[in-house]
Amino acid sequence: MNTNEAKFILRARRPDGRDDGESPFAAALEQARRDPALADWLTREQAFDETVTARLREVAPPAGLRDAILAGARMQRRTPWWRETYTLALAASLAVIFGLAAAWSTGRIAPGGERLALGAMADWEEPTHHAVVLVGHGALREALAATGLRLTAGLPLDFDRLRAAGCRTIRIAGREVLEVCFKREGAGDLHLYIARRRDFGGAALDAEPMFRERGTLASVGWADERHAYVLVSDSGAEALRAVL
């Protein structure tokens, strides 16, 4: 079972845990225990479900709604629903709640770090991307290829200077992102995507490495004071860990 299959199954899991003993759910939960990125995704899913459930519990039907509905059913000429203030109030309450739920859902599906990581992986999968696989800022590429450099230890980068020097530039979520491709012994081809931290969540970004996998691709994202990074490889997560 891969990560995408586990997510598909876990989306159907009931929040009270009644499904956890069933074979597909148990296997998906075991995958989440092995995959930190999947575990984080599951935590966000559960938090979202709990929030929506709590909001729905707060909705109380207007007083006298049941009697009014029954009385209306006995009338030969029914009053249009939009003239009934109590029904309008209930509809407005539900609209607000589901609007909040939709907004929360959008945020949880693609927070800044995940949006950057997914965009970087999507760029790597573009057929035209591989025509420039080893094009980038020469001096930086050489430094990144050095075996002793640990990427999460801190990279002395200047985003504007890199862009001006001809570093490959793409756009993810409407923001500029730079890419430098390099090789590292034992890790194969690696693709480092660099963004301004403020463009992808600022303080909300986690400095700790976050691994993600999709098909044959693996990525790891992290941030320092000024920049957010995503490193992508088709050699697996272990290749990424070797250079962090």
Side-chain angles (χ1 to χ4, degrees):
M1 178 179 295
N2 60 35
T3 298
N4 289 335
E5 292 169 340
K7 285 184 177 181
F8 179 80
I9 292 169
L10 291 171
R11 285 191 178 99
R13 173 176 171 259
R14 285 177 288 189
D16 60 6
R18 281 183 290 172
D19 301 316
D20 293 359
E22 300 291 334
S23 178
F25 296 102
L29 289 169
E30 179 60 30
Q31 178 73 10
R33 283 189 280 271
R34 294 194 300 264
D35 184 344
L38 179 58
D40 288 341
W41 172 88
L42 180 58
T43 298
R44 294 195 299 271
E45 288 281 318
Q46 291 172 328
F48 170 73
D49 292 340
E50 290 171 1
T51 298
V52 172
T53 300
R55 295 292 186 272
L56 290 175
R57 288 197 184 106
E58 294 173 1
V59 177
L65 177 60
R66 178 178 179 276
D67 293 339
I69 291 174
L70 293 175
R74 292 191 292 267
M75 295 174 60
Q76 291 184 350
R77 185 178 180 182
R78 302 183 64 179
T79 303
W81 68 269
W82 58 82
R83 294 182 185 171
E84 301 290 349
T85 56
Y86 49 81
T87 308
L88 186 60
L90 178 60
S93 298
L94 291 174
V96 170
I97 288 170
F98 286 109
L100 290 173
W104 184 292
S105 177
T106 300
R108 74 190 174 102
I109 291 172
E114 188 162 354
R115 192 161 56 239
L116 176 59
L118 293 177
M121 295 169 80
D123 176 70
W124 191 98
E125 292 174 323
E126 285 290 328
T128 57
H129 172 264
H130 301 281
V132 292
V133 69
L134 287 179
V135 174
H137 191 274
L140 177 58
R141 194 175 72 204
E142 291 178 6
L144 293 171
T147 305
L149 178 66
R150 314 303 297 182
L151 270 61
T152 54
L155 296 174
L157 303 178
D158 185 296
F159 188 94
D160 293 328
R161 288 183 179 178
L162 281 175
R163 182 184 55 186
C167 207
R168 180 174 181 253
T169 304
I170 64 171
R171 299 191 78 84
I172 296 176
R175 304 294 187 178
E176 285 187 320
V177 178
L178 307 180
E179 182 196 16
V180 179
C181 303
F182 63 99
K183 288 181 178 287
R184 181 74 72 90
E185 184 177 354
D189 291 333
L190 298 165
H191 309 257
L192 180 65
Y193 292 83
I194 308 163
R196 298 181 184 89
R197 178 172 182 146
R198 66 175 183 269
D199 288 344
F200 288 90
L205 287 175
D206 194 342
E208 294 299 317
M210 175 68 71
F211 288 86
R212 297 171 177 85
E213 291 184 276
R214 186 173 72 192
T216 61
L217 283 186
S219 73
V220 58
W222 73 97
D224 60 23
E225 292 182 357
R226 298 177 59 195
H227 301 103
Y229 306 93
V230 175
L231 186 65
V232 181
S233 170
D234 61 353
S235 299
E238 289 306 313
L240 299 178
R241 289 189 176 93
V243 302
L244 294 183

